[in-house]
Amino acid sequence: MTVTAPAVDVTAAREFVDRHVIGEADAWDRQERIPEAVLDAVSAAGMWAPFLSPEVGGSGLSWRAFGQLHEEFGRGCSSLRSLLTVHSMAAWTVMRWGSSALQAEWLPRFATGEALGAVCMTEPQAGSDTAGFDTRATRSADGWRLSGVKTWITGALRADVFLVYARNRHGLAAYLVPRDSAGLSVEPVPDPLGTRASMIGTVRLDDVRVAPDALVGPESFLSGAVLTGMLDIGRLSVAAGSLGILQGCLDACATYTTERTVGGTRLRDLQLIRAKVSDMVTDAAAARLLVTQAAELKDAGDPETIMATWIAKYFASVAAARHAREAVQVHGAHGMSSRFPVARLYRDAKVMEIIEGSTELQQLTIADSAYQR
């Protein structure tokens, strides 16, 4: 049965962000939470996982349009965009690797936002180093039993279901674990530097029992493909979201330097200011081309999309952090005030250099491509 989904495109995303997000993001940042009414509005707009097929309630959105949508949300609020990111990662993984039973149960709910997903990877002593993960999954008579601790989990305080990466007898594998599972508990990670409203938490699994088909993908060495594909979706979102931060900085600086004067001269007419804005314009254009290329390769099913997404995320996140710093400088003392968005953009941009592969890890990985020719 085909479900009619709302029309989703870049224009709809831009209008949604301008109407529901731009004026409220700083308040959410202070409250460290996105209001439930806003999450409901995202659901009504069909923007949680629009790449899912119309048969399950999605829009069949292309990856190029997905990138444009996440750029707009990044422009407005990286915390909200981060919730879309982890939800997309969970939804894509079930779409690509889930059993028919898991797909029937969860994909329609993911498409409509009835159920929100989060991804549990990072651990207290291992960070994102999967070789050091201690979370374990063991077979039982009625399915699987999971034990371990995951932390810095985006959306943990709100998610309805978690995609948990745990080590079984064959290696690392993914399991879909409902929030109401006995033995699963969540506690907040307070006062983060950036993406403060993304409801980050620590997830504890104490002998949590799940059904046999909770395993998403193969129970073998091939399970690595599940993780690779999921992270690739997350990286595309973060690349596009970093571009959105850069665009937000550019918009804020254009407005501020037009309105602000010094010695009777508008800031926008000063050569030093114009040089900074010129660099923002140029790097935003370059980042947009890189994100578009990565997404179009993904639409074409070209395996080169993996490296292209690494490159797009690396360039866009580093550029966002650099220009967010310059945006604060352009605003002077006002740049340190929560009354202006650049303070939040600055903190959020730093996060983009860490998540979905740190800048240093990306440098190592991208360099490999030069030696494979």
Side-chain angles (χ1 to χ4, degrees):
M1 176 181 176
T2 300
V3 180
T4 302
V8 178
D9 56 25
V10 64
T11 300
R14 184 175 299 120
E15 291 175 351
F16 182 96
V17 169
D18 287 341
R19 178 180 178 184
H20 295 282
V21 180
I22 290 292
E24 305 297 330
D26 287 314
W28 303 340
D29 187 73
R30 291 189 294 272
Q31 296 161 5
E32 296 188 20
R33 179 170 291 274
I34 305 289
E36 198 66 25
V38 177
L39 304 182
D40 290 343
V42 177
S43 298
M47 293 183 180
W48 281 113
F51 55 86
L52 293 175
S53 71
E55 286 72 23
V56 297
S59 301
L61 199 69
S62 70
W63 291 114
R64 179 177 181 179
F66 171 91
Q68 293 173 329
L69 185 151
H70 283 230
E71 176 190 344
E72 291 300 325
F73 275 89
R75 176 177 66 88
C77 175
S78 289
S79 291
L80 183 53
R81 196 271 310 150
S82 293
L83 296 181
L84 266 70
T85 301
V86 295
H87 181 79
S88 297
M89 293 164 76
W92 179 89
T93 303
V94 174
M95 176 187 76
R96 174 65 180 82
W97 294 102
S99 66
S100 57
L102 278 183
Q103 291 176 356
E105 179 180 2
W106 291 104
L107 291 185
R109 300 171 69 187
F110 284 154
T112 61
E114 177 189 347
L116 299 186
V119 175
C120 292
M121 279 195 60
T122 310
E123 297 193 2
Q125 302 303 319
S128 296
D129 176 18
T130 58
F133 281 4
D134 287 330
T135 300
R136 301 286 168 175
T138 56
R139 280 194 175 275
S140 63
D142 55 353
W144 295 90
R145 299 166 67 171
L146 280 71
S147 293
V149 179
K150 300 289 186 175
T151 194
W152 290 104
I153 307 306
T154 296
L157 303 185
R158 174 57 182 80
D160 299 292
V161 64
F162 298 94
L163 186 66
V164 179
Y165 281 85
R167 194 166 299 285
N168 62 26
R169 60 181 179 173
H170 293 289
L172 198 66
Y175 298 84
L176 202 64
V177 183
R179 185 189 192 89
D180 59 4
S181 300
L184 187 150
S185 61
V186 181
E187 59 192 52
V189 173
D191 200 27
L193 172 70
T195 61
R196 293 168 59 85
S198 61
M199 295 179 275
I200 299 168
T202 294
V203 177
R204 300 185 184 277
L205 303 116
D206 183 11
D207 196 28
V208 173
R209 302 187 181 195
V210 292
D213 70 352
L215 176 68
V216 185
E219 185 194 358
S220 69
F221 69 94
L222 289 175
S223 63
V226 181
L227 178 62
T228 298
M230 183 203 73
L231 290 175
D232 183 55
I233 300 304
R235 241 172 245 124
L236 179 62
S237 172
V238 173
S242 297
L243 169 58
I245 290 174
L246 177 47
Q247 187 63 54
C249 290
L250 179 56
D251 293 345
C253 286
T255 299
Y256 183 78
T257 60
T258 296
E259 297 173 348
R260 182 78 168 175
T261 62
V262 57
T265 301
R266 293 185 302 178
L267 288 183
R268 63 177 286 174
D269 295 325
L270 299 178
Q271 289 186 1
L272 284 173
I273 296 298
R274 296 184 73 82
K276 294 180 187 295
V277 172
S278 293
D279 287 348
M280 289 183 190
V281 170
T282 302
D283 279 355
R288 190 167 286 113
L289 288 172
L290 288 171
V291 172
T292 298
Q293 178 191 46
E296 288 181 343
L297 287 169
K298 208 172 304 299
D299 282 324
D302 191 324
E304 289 296 321
T305 185
I306 300 292
M307 181 54 66
T309 304
W310 273 100
I311 293 170
K313 193 272 179 180
Y314 172 55
F315 183 89
S317 62
V318 170
R322 180 172 65 253
H323 293 302
R325 182 179 65 245
E326 292 288 9
V328 171
Q329 195 75 11
V330 166
H331 282 67
H334 287 151
M336 298 182 287
S337 168
S338 61
R339 292 173 46 243
F340 292 83
V342 292
R344 170 176 49 83
L345 293 169
Y346 179 47
R347 289 184 285 100
D348 288 348
K350 185 64 222 177
V351 175
M352 300 307 111
E353 291 191 297
I354 297 172
I355 61 174
E356 306 307 331
S358 68
T359 296
E360 292 75 16
L361 177 60
Q362 290 176 309
Q363 289 171 329
L364 292 173
T365 303
I366 293 169
D368 286 343
S369 67
Y371 300 104
Q372 296 173 355
R373 298 185 182 278

